[in-house]
Amino acid sequence: MKITLKDGSVKEYAGAMSVIEIAADISEGLARMACAGEIDGQVVDLRTVVDRDCELSILTANDKAGLAAYRHTTSHVLAEAVKRLYPEAKLAIGPSIDTGFYYDFDAPSFSREDLDKIEAEMKKIIKEGAKIERFTLPREEAIQFMEEKGEPYKVELIQDLPEDAEISFYRQGDFVDLCAGPHLMSTKPIKAFKLISSSGAYWRGSEKNAMLSRIYGTAFTKKDELNEYLEYLESIKKRDHNRLGRELELFATVDVIGQGLPLLMPKGAKIIQTMQRWIEDEEEKRGYMRTKTPLMAKKDLYVISDHWEHYKEGMFVLGDEEKDDEVFALRPMTCPFQYYVYKQSQKSYRDLPCRYGETSTLFRNEDSGEMHGLTRVRQFTISEGHLVVRPDQLEEEFRGCVDLAKYCLTTLGLEGDVTYRMSKWDPNNAEHYLGTAEMWDEVQDMMRRMLDHIGIQYTEEEGEAAFYGPKLDIQAKNIYGKEDTMITIQLDMFLAERFDMSYVDKDGTKKRPYIIHRTSMGCYERTLAWMIEKYEGAFPTWLCPEQVRVLPISEKYHEYAEKVEKELKNNGILTTVDERSEKIGYKIREARLQKIPYMLVVGQKEEEDGVVSVRSRFNGDEGQKPLEQFIDDICKEIRTKEIKKVVVTD
């Protein structure tokens, strides 16, 4: 057989050989570094036998898939260590992830001291250097094998596999785990790892299932790489919006109010208000008509839209369907409400497009394990809109929605941090969607053509569409690498029929319109979290809840400080005065810690000359300026929404 290697060279062998044997034939050093193989583009275990002509790559930890195999083996070492120290713990799953690996256990929660103890046991296991062996069993034997070991979660995983499936296991010493692989040849090559944290996680991600204890870890082949990553983790903790948002008094959470129901403090609420006014004014410039619709509706509305069928589990339902004459639900979206705004009068083709915008407070019953700070909450507000358009207007209006989203991202300084994804339906789960396969193919082709015309670079993802249409999702990652949808633009060719929406065309006949569902900036809370992390709390001046702090050197200059404050406020500048009996250096440090853009120091010289001494987080000490000049400069900065680079830090 002929084996074509990554560099294009060809190896010929008389008979079948495993991937690791081929690696050893190429180079003993390569075999020592090998973590997995790739045959004709498919990642395989090192033990996989090659018996035909193919293209083969030997993957090391320098390759993404190779590093994943390395980390996956480390997760098995973690599981073995936990079973040694806590024999009653039950094994769930333990995959590699982009940042390392995790393993879920049915066991009491793990403290930092527990993790340190587990790490020490893992080092013993690695030092033992047990050979890792793969073996398979028929499904029924595999179930019995795991039942005898007392591993109910593994049994459940096997039971979900086809009856004729051959189930693979990996053994390292006395420890055996159900696993598809791939894995290293032994535990010995694992050089540098760290258990990062422990948290709760529902089995299979559902709050209806048992709460498990998840241990997160990471692993590298070099100690220096591990130390560099741990230093990086420490640095991003300082940007975590959960920590920074509370330190800056932007938001808070309270147990008796409920998980996923954050309190926006005055500063956080001011930022949201500034963004909301900006968005609403911008949408009005672009021809949107503002609506204000109820926060709840009868079940009947959601039955028409099919949300009751497809989304009920994610809704807060008020009442009992079996007992009450009327059952209500808090709205998880605004579209059905705005459809009835449209239907209040018969529309002509001349009336279209109808662009409806609303600052919508929505409610979604998120799983408790999914909620996080401001990024995933149970009550949130979005810049929601629905455009009712004629078929010939669809592409122009879709383009306008993309342009608005890009304008918002650019103004906030976030455009470079996003990716674009076309979210499609899953034809293998057609029962979860409205319409036929032909209709979905048609509308997805339509979206693809529009995106290509606009020139957006995008990926396609199956199974991420709404049940009523495909979406353009604008994605961003938080500091920990988790990806969220920030803005979405959806095509809908189904709900107009369900709501009997129409317009009278030129020929006098009634036609069904298309609908575009969109957000201009997305969820305000999630965007605030994103910006806290992006700017480390040092927001662009126009968004800051406190733009200037006046710092009198002593009590003698309070009157002048208040005069400066009044003049600034008269020009719409958000200003406070620090009249505490503290030294000026302490006041400056406090203002810096609060990420305030400008500090105006005033004393005798400033009062006599009618000036202010300006300190900023951009240039440090900027010297004295006439108050009128400072006002002109900062007003221009706010008006143009300029994003200045922060030079002076804490």
Side-chain angles (χ1 to χ4, degrees):
M1 61 181 179
K2 293 183 179 180
I3 307 298
T4 304
L5 302 177
K6 188 189 300 186
D7 63 1
S9 62
V10 177
K11 287 273 189 179
E12 293 192 32
Y13 299 100
M17 295 179 70
S18 67
V19 172
I20 191 65
E21 288 171 336
I22 296 173
D25 181 64
I26 298 169
S27 159
E28 287 296 333
L30 179 61
R32 285 194 299 271
M33 296 173 61
C35 298
E38 185 178 84
I39 298 176
D40 292 336
Q42 181 179 358
V43 178
V44 298
D45 191 88
L46 292 170
R47 300 156 189 81
T48 301
V49 174
V50 183
D51 58 4
R52 57 180 173 82
D53 293 353
C54 65
E55 293 183 359
L56 172 66
S57 294
I58 307 299
L59 304 178
T60 71
N62 292 325
D63 302 294
K64 184 177 180 180
L67 183 58
Y70 180 90
R71 288 170 167 174
H72 194 182
T73 301
T74 314
S75 80
H76 277 220
V77 174
L78 163 61
E80 181 179 1
V82 169
K83 290 294 285 187
R84 284 187 181 186
L85 296 172
Y86 310 94
E88 299 304 312
K90 305 300 180 188
L91 302 175
I93 59 172
S96 66
I97 54 178
D98 286 346
T99 56
F101 59 88
Y102 69 80
Y103 211 112
D104 290 345
F105 304 93
D106 191 342
S109 59
F110 298 100
S111 65
R112 182 66 249 179
E113 291 74 19
D114 294 329
L115 298 186
D116 293 340
K117 190 163 73 169
I118 295 167
E119 275 187 14
E121 192 64 30
M122 290 174 68
K123 289 175 182 177
K124 292 180 185 178
I125 293 168
I126 293 167
K127 191 173 182 180
E128 292 166 7
K131 183 180 179 181
I132 299 175
E133 300 171 310
R134 181 181 185 273
F135 65 94
T136 62
L137 291 173
R139 183 174 179 274
E140 290 307 313
E141 289 184 35
I143 290 172
Q144 182 180 350
F145 183 66
M146 282 289 117
E147 285 178 339
E148 289 172 354
K149 286 188 168 291
E151 298 291 357
Y153 298 98
K154 301 296 184 181
V155 171
E156 183 179 330
L157 290 171
I158 298 169
Q159 288 172 334
D160 286 347
L161 297 173
E163 290 190 12
D164 60 350
E166 193 173 58
I167 315 301
S168 64
F169 296 85
Y170 284 82
R171 177 187 287 115
Q172 55 196 47
D174 295 330
F175 177 76
V176 179
D177 201 355
L178 169 73
C179 189
H183 281 286
L184 306 182
M185 298 302 292
S186 78
T187 62
K188 193 173 182 180
I190 300 172
K191 301 298 183 185
F193 71 91
K194 183 70 178 176
L195 300 184
I196 304 297
S197 62
S198 178
S199 65
Y202 288 112
W203 170 236
R204 294 189 155 181
S206 172
E207 62 181 358
K208 297 178 181 178
N209 295 332
M211 173 66 80
L212 306 177
S213 293
R214 175 173 294 179
I215 296 177
Y216 284 99
T218 194
F220 294 86
T221 56
K222 297 177 183 176
K223 190 74 174 177
D224 288 349
E225 292 176 342
L226 174 63
N227 290 337
E228 184 179 338
Y229 179 71
L230 295 178
E231 288 174 8
Y232 164 73
L233 286 184
E234 286 301 312
S235 70
I236 65 175
K237 283 180 183 177
K238 297 176 182 178
R239 294 167 49 203
D240 188 325
H241 85 274
N242 255 322
R243 183 191 70 83
L244 200 50
R246 287 173 169 83
E247 285 183 4
L248 296 175
E249 298 180 346
L250 300 176
F251 75 95
T253 53
V254 181
D255 287 344
V256 295
I257 292 175
Q259 192 178 10
L261 299 170
L263 298 173
L264 285 173
M265 308 288 277
K267 291 180 181 179
K270 185 62 184 177
I271 296 173
I272 296 289
Q273 181 192 56
T274 301
M275 288 195 293
Q276 180 179 327
R277 288 174 173 173
W278 162 57
I279 291 295
E280 290 179 351
D281 288 346
E282 182 62 30
E283 288 181 344
E284 187 171 346
K285 291 177 188 174
R286 295 175 183 241
Y288 282 81
M289 300 175 285
R290 194 133 303 272
T291 66
K292 185 172 177 59
T293 56
L295 299 180
M296 67 176 76
K298 292 195 298 184
K299 163 190 170 182
D300 309 49
L301 179 71
Y302 306 115
V303 169
I304 296 171
S305 68
D306 231 29
H307 284 94
W308 201 257
E309 172 70 22
H310 290 89
Y311 202 77
K312 181 183 174 184
E313 293 301 314
M315 297 167 66
F316 288 101
V317 178
L318 310 176
D320 188 322
E321 289 185 81
E322 296 182 1
K323 297 179 182 178
D324 300 329
D325 293 334
E326 287 189 328
V327 173
F328 288 77
L330 298 177
R331 66 180 185 185
M333 78 301 294
T334 309
C335 40
F337 299 85
Q338 291 192 335
Y339 298 163
Y340 279 100
V341 172
Y342 176 86
K343 281 168 60 68
Q344 292 309 296
S345 63
Q346 177 62 62
K347 302 296 189 294
S348 159
Y349 69 94
R350 294 188 184 90
D351 298 316
L352 272 54
C354 282
R355 305 185 190 102
Y356 297 114
E358 183 164 336
T359 303
S360 307
T361 298
L362 306 178
F363 306 86
R364 294 183 184 173
N365 191 10
E366 299 282 2
D367 291 340
S368 59
E370 292 293 316
M371 286 181 288
H372 175 69
L374 294 177
T375 58
R376 193 169 290 275
V377 292
R378 285 176 167 157
Q379 176 184 309
F380 57 95
T381 302
I382 66 173
S383 55
E384 193 168 19
H386 297 90
L387 294 82
V388 186
V389 305
R390 303 192 311 263
D392 61 292
Q393 297 170 326
L394 184 63
E395 180 163 346
E396 182 180 354
E397 293 302 314
F398 184 86
R399 184 186 292 269
C401 293
V402 173
D403 182 73
L404 175 58
K406 285 188 155 191
Y407 162 75
C408 292
L409 290 169
T410 301
T411 303
L412 294 171
L414 304 171
E415 166 68 8
D417 301 329
V418 302
T419 57
Y420 295 84
R421 181 185 77 190
M422 178 180 161
S423 297
K424 305 186 295 184
W425 82 317
D426 180 0
N428 296 317
N429 291 293
E431 68 276 7
H432 295 302
Y433 303 89
L434 299 178
T436 64
E438 292 75 19
M439 297 170 79
W440 276 90
D441 287 343
E442 178 186 344
V443 73
Q444 287 181 169
D445 286 344
M446 192 184 302
M447 175 174 277
R448 196 177 288 112
R449 284 195 302 273
M450 290 191 295
L451 292 174
D452 291 342
H453 290 167
I454 294 171
I456 288 177
Q457 296 295 315
Y458 62 95
T459 60
E460 297 188 15
E461 189 74 26
E462 202 168 86
E464 293 294 331
F467 68 86
Y468 50 81
K471 304 182 292 177
L472 172 65
D473 286 325
I474 301 178
Q475 306 288 106
K477 291 182 179 180
N478 67 12
I479 55 172
Y480 297 105
K482 184 181 182 301
E483 187 172 84
D484 285 303
T485 299
M486 308 308 297
I487 297 173
T488 188
I489 304 169
Q490 305 174 8
L491 293 188
D492 174 7
M493 58 187 293
F494 302 113
L495 292 181
E497 179 76 29
R498 296 186 71 89
F499 282 89
D500 192 25
M501 298 168 66
S502 65
Y503 66 94
V504 178
D505 208 352
K506 292 179 181 178
D507 60 5
T509 62
K510 286 188 177 181
K511 301 284 180 63
R512 297 290 183 208
Y514 283 110
I515 300 169
I516 301 174
H517 306 239
R518 49 102 281 194
T519 54
S520 52
M521 189 195 62
C523 168
Y524 284 96
E525 290 84 354
R526 184 174 288 180
T527 301
L528 176 57
W530 188 11
M531 290 195 300
I532 292 171
E533 295 183 351
K534 164 80 174 181
Y535 294 110
E536 298 183 44
F539 303 103
T541 301
W542 73 276
L543 276 176
C544 284
E546 184 179 355
Q547 294 161 335
V548 177
R549 184 174 292 182
V550 184
L551 308 177
I553 290 175
S554 70
E555 187 176 346
K556 291 189 294 183
Y557 307 107
H558 282 186
E559 185 176 342
Y560 181 60
E562 290 166 2
K563 179 181 176 182
V564 170
E565 177 193 29
K566 182 178 180 181
E567 193 63 29
L568 291 167
K569 284 184 172 180
N570 285 342
N571 284 274
I573 302 162
L574 301 174
T575 311
T576 62
V577 178
D578 186 347
E579 295 184 336
R580 294 177 298 167
S581 299
E582 301 284 356
K583 292 183 177 179
I584 193 66
Y586 178 83
K587 290 182 179 182
I588 291 171
R589 286 193 298 274
E590 283 281 292
R592 283 183 180 170
L593 288 172
Q594 288 298 309
K595 315 286 187 180
I596 296 166
Y598 293 96
M599 294 149 275
L600 303 184
V601 179
V602 295
Q604 181 179 351
K605 177 68 172 172
E606 287 78 16
E607 184 175 23
E608 288 175 352
D609 297 343
V611 298
V612 290
S613 291
V614 181
R615 298 186 67 90
S616 75
R617 65 182 187 209
F618 313 111
N619 301 309
D621 187 350
E622 296 186 13
Q624 291 185 342
K625 290 184 181 180
L627 180 57
E628 295 78 8
Q629 181 187 337
F630 174 78
I631 290 173
D632 286 346
D633 291 345
I634 191 173
C635 284
K636 180 181 178 183
E637 182 182 339
I638 293 169
R639 183 177 67 256
T640 60
K641 299 178 175 58
E642 182 181 358
I643 299 175
K644 286 187 172 182
K645 184 177 179 181
V646 175
V647 177
V648 179
T649 63
D650 302 335

